[in-house]
Amino acid sequence: MITAAHVLLYSKDPDADRAFFRDVLKLRHVDIGHGWLIFQLPPSELALHPVDSDAPAPAGDGSMIGAEMYLMCDDLESVIASLKAASVRCGPVAKERWGIRTSVRLPSGAEVGLYQPLHPTAYDLA
């Protein structure tokens, strides 16, 4: 039986990005030692999309599936405002058929997606 999913984000500055997830996003975590924090994620969903021919190559020998990570919210405008108050830069806002999206710049310079879904969600199914 599957009990959970573990998402890996590769960072050029993992200490700064860990501090961001801990101090700015305030995600609960466990400290497994030597600066390694494992964060509890909010309820999640999984969607499978077709691969574009120019999609980035996944890690390893190429057999691992590629992934993008989007954090979800109920009110994108208010989340962007709270991030701005914490001096966090977000990307441009765009309305897609599936939601209203932006990106959040991490201290390492990498970005994660953030969106307010306009589609039915699966993360709260009983």
Side-chain angles (χ1 to χ4, degrees):
M1 178 63 82
I2 302 298
T3 59
H6 186 90
V7 176
L8 304 175
L9 296 182
Y10 292 93
S11 172
K12 293 181 180 180
D13 190 349
D15 289 334
D17 288 346
R18 288 179 189 129
F20 177 84
F21 278 84
R22 180 191 64 219
D23 301 335
V24 176
L25 298 183
K26 302 201 183 304
L27 294 182
R28 295 177 57 175
H29 62 277
V30 294
D31 185 337
I32 63 171
H34 307 288
W36 285 88
L37 305 178
I38 298 178
F39 294 93
Q40 179 185 40
L41 291 175
S44 302
E45 310 184 321
L46 169 72
L48 297 167
H49 291 251
V51 174
D52 294 331
S53 61
D54 59 349
D61 63 5
S63 63
M64 291 287 288
I65 194 165
E68 291 184 8
M69 183 170 132
Y70 278 85
L71 301 172
M72 299 168 75
C73 64
D74 293 330
D75 182 350
L76 185 65
E77 187 176 307
S78 71
V79 173
I80 290 171
S82 68
L83 289 170
K84 184 176 180 180
S87 300
V88 176
R89 199 170 109 199
C90 293
V93 174
K95 185 169 183 182
E96 309 290 351
R97 63 177 168 40
W98 45 268
I100 308 165
R101 68 169 172 85
T102 188
S103 59
V104 176
R105 181 158 307 242
L106 302 177
S108 65
E111 296 182 353
V112 295
L114 173 65
Y115 85 107
Q116 177 182 332
L118 298 176
H119 58 78
T121 58
Y123 64 81
D124 57 356
L125 294 174

